[in-house]
Amino acid sequence: MKTRPDLSFWKLWNLSFGFFGVQIAYALQSANISRIFRTLGADPHSLSFFWILPPLMGILVQPVVGSLSDKTWCRFGRRIPYLFVGAAMAVAVMCLLPNAGSFGMSVKAALIFGLFALMLLDTSINMAMQPFKMMVGDMVNEKQKAKAYSIQSFLCNAGSVVGFLFPFIFAWIGLKNVAPEGVVPDTVIWSFYIGALILILCVIYTTMKVREMPPEEYAMYHAVDEGKKDSANWFVLLKNAPSTFWKVGLVQFFCWAAMLYMWTYVVDAVSEVVWGTTDPASEDYQVAGNWTGVLYAIQALGSVCWAAILPRFSNTKLAYALSLVIGGIGFILIPFVHDKYLMIVPFLLVGCAWAAMLAMPFTFVTNALKGYGHMGAYLGLFNGTICVPQIVAALLGGTILHAIGSKQSSMMIVAGVLFIIGALCVNVIKENKEKLA
């Protein structure tokens, strides 16, 4: 097996640039879905159920995209066709979802329409997102893989900053941040429109700049057992998965459950502890929603800064665990901070954990999968360690909220405890590269 040659910085950059646009779409979804559904009339105790769809579609779509793209060889590439189709679908749905309350439907009908649109948006974002991780696994050698995922992490966070800030910026330039009851404000609607435009432009750039390996070249750089490649199904792959796959998955379970509770409850939490209201019809609530976008952007900036520090740690596991503990402390601080500017501090701390969550798991797992021919399928299956904990957390969210007194700010403490448990679980990961039998 020949060693894959080093790629220039700009080739690594182009390989992941479209992720910038995809992440804008993802940021708009994660920062505004609870706000949209609360505006449409959703009850806080059922709010987490709306968040079942994003991870559910991820666990259904990403393994399929991974498996199909492993077998796809055409003039447009191997992974890129799925990237482009997913992005095109996302653009269409991003123009529909924020208008769920603008078509004169009843509250129930608007919520159902919003759920259907959210399902399509999650499907398309997952289809567009997964190929970027696979292309790094396909085209980047082991020496440069950490650098490639770091670039991807930077673009991810940069896209997040843009997406998170859009509603705040549009309110600042004069778009309406309040709307009739049950209708989503213009600041959110136009954020989705502009995000959709940037998404498709970024994806077009990547499709024009990246040339994927043809089958013969791919075989030259990847030692693949053809018998396994032809016969293995998902159950066989999971049975033969390296232990690193499952150990990292254990850490992922607690981390992504925590993030689900952040995305679900943080708008109301910030509105509650800083503005003293959780009424979605109030102007203060919509102001809090915009400010939460700013805080998300601060989190992303903190993540970028911490991502630059992480490679300086000689002990990768220590860096991973420490990052999660810092993020856990940030979550626990949120209910006790009543000034909107001081709220920046806990979100910066959460950003440290987010940096580690974006880069380290895939570095551990792709290194453990070295020499095996099912990279796309395995990364799709590994996405289950992101999706399953969110589904479990979403199902339990209303029950936990009742148990802690129905204060949504207290769910941030639950998230912080989950991060700290995840940090303790990092100890079970072994850093040696494993090859599947």
Side-chain angles (χ1 to χ4, degrees):
M1 180 183 70
K2 292 180 65 176
T3 301
R4 281 167 284 180
D6 287 350
L7 299 179
S8 69
F9 171 83
W10 288 112
K11 286 186 177 180
L12 294 173
W13 176 272
N14 292 339
L15 196 63
S16 292
F17 182 74
F19 205 87
F20 174 80
V22 174
Q23 193 60 30
I24 288 177
Y26 190 72
L28 285 168
Q29 173 187 284
S30 61
N32 293 286
I33 287 305
S34 286
R35 180 181 180 182
I36 288 172
F37 282 105
R38 286 282 281 129
T39 301
L40 294 177
D43 180 82
H45 293 92
S46 62
L47 193 59
S48 66
F49 292 120
F50 293 97
W51 281 92
I52 293 175
L53 279 176
L56 181 61
M57 299 315 300
I59 202 170
L60 293 175
V61 172
Q62 296 210 26
V64 172
V65 171
S67 296
L68 291 178
S69 64
D70 279 342
K71 302 171 186 176
T72 298
W73 302 97
C74 68
R75 59 177 294 192
F76 301 107
R78 189 185 192 195
R79 317 292 186 184
I80 284 178
Y82 298 89
L83 162 63
F84 193 83
V85 171
M89 287 175 55
V91 167
V93 181
M94 287 174 73
C95 294
L96 289 174
L97 175 59
N99 287 294
S102 303
F103 299 133
M105 296 181 284
S106 66
V107 171
K108 184 177 180 181
L111 288 172
I112 292 173
F113 178 88
L115 273 174
F116 183 70
L118 177 60
M119 181 182 69
L120 292 178
L121 180 60
D122 290 323
T123 301
S124 55
I125 287 178
N126 277 290
M127 185 181 292
M129 185 179 294
Q130 189 69 358
F132 289 105
K133 302 184 182 87
M134 298 175 194
M135 286 193 292
V136 172
D138 288 345
M139 301 173 66
V140 180
N141 61 35
E142 302 305 313
K143 183 177 69 174
Q144 288 191 301
K145 198 169 287 180
K147 181 178 181 180
Y149 280 124
S150 294
I151 291 172
Q152 198 168 98
S153 177
F154 171 80
L155 289 167
C156 172
N157 284 296
S160 295
V161 170
V162 174
F164 291 145
L165 287 177
F166 270 160
F168 180 83
I169 292 171
F170 287 141
W172 180 68
I173 65 175
L175 267 66
K176 289 184 179 180
N177 194 46
V178 292
E181 185 174 355
V183 177
V184 177
D186 286 346
T187 51
V188 176
I189 292 174
W190 278 96
S191 295
F192 275 77
Y193 290 168
I194 301 301
L197 176 62
I198 296 174
L199 166 60
I200 197 63
L201 291 176
C202 290
V203 168
I204 289 172
Y205 177 88
T206 287
T207 57
M208 292 178 63
K209 291 291 185 178
V210 173
R211 173 189 171 273
E212 293 190 76
M213 296 179 184
E216 300 79 12
E217 186 179 353
Y218 182 88
M220 197 166 52
Y221 293 120
H222 295 77
V224 177
D225 184 326
E226 294 296 333
K228 283 186 178 181
K229 181 178 179 181
D230 291 337
S231 63
N233 59 45
W234 291 349
F235 297 103
V236 173
L237 294 178
L238 288 173
K239 179 182 177 182
N240 294 328
S243 62
T244 298
F245 182 98
W246 298 108
K247 291 173 180 177
V248 176
L250 177 64
V251 179
Q252 294 268 85
F253 182 88
F254 296 103
C255 293
W256 286 97
M259 293 306 299
L260 187 281
Y261 289 144
M262 178 186 189
W263 295 327
T264 305
Y265 300 109
V266 76
V267 173
D268 279 69
V270 171
S271 185
E272 173 192 318
V273 300
V274 177
W275 276 270
T277 182
T278 56
D279 177 10
S282 68
E283 183 177 355
D284 280 347
Y285 183 89
Q286 298 300 335
V287 171
N290 287 351
W291 187 250
T292 302
V294 174
L295 294 174
Y296 273 131
I298 295 294
Q299 173 195 317
L301 289 172
S303 182
V304 170
C305 295
W306 189 249
I309 295 172
L310 283 175
R312 298 178 182 273
F313 283 86
S314 58
N315 187 324
T316 308
K317 287 170 57 176
L318 174 63
Y320 195 6
L322 178 63
S323 300
L324 297 180
V325 170
I326 292 172
I329 293 170
F331 272 134
I332 292 169
L333 286 175
I334 288 174
F336 305 102
V337 177
H338 301 287
D339 180 86
K340 71 175 188 177
Y341 295 107
L342 287 179
M343 190 66 78
I344 288 172
V345 174
F347 277 79
L348 282 172
L349 298 181
V350 172
C352 296
W354 185 240
M357 287 173 62
L358 288 176
M360 291 187 172
F362 284 98
T363 300
F364 283 127
V365 170
T366 55
N367 284 341
L369 293 172
K370 181 182 178 182
Y372 205 73
H374 297 280
M375 180 69 72
Y378 264 115
L379 290 182
L381 291 169
F382 184 68
N383 190 65
T385 68
I386 295 174
C387 299
V388 170
Q390 292 183 67
I391 293 171
V392 173
L395 290 171
L396 296 176
T399 302
I400 295 174
L401 182 60
H402 270 297
I404 61 176
S406 297
K407 291 189 66 175
Q408 294 181 70
S409 58
S410 297
M411 292 298 288
M412 300 301 100
I413 297 176
V414 174
V417 171
L418 289 171
F419 257 12
I420 292 170
I421 295 172
L424 294 174
C425 292
V426 171
N427 187 56
V428 304
I429 301 173
K430 293 184 178 179
E431 291 189 66
N432 60 300
K433 299 176 184 179
E434 299 177 56
K435 186 176 179 179
L436 298 175

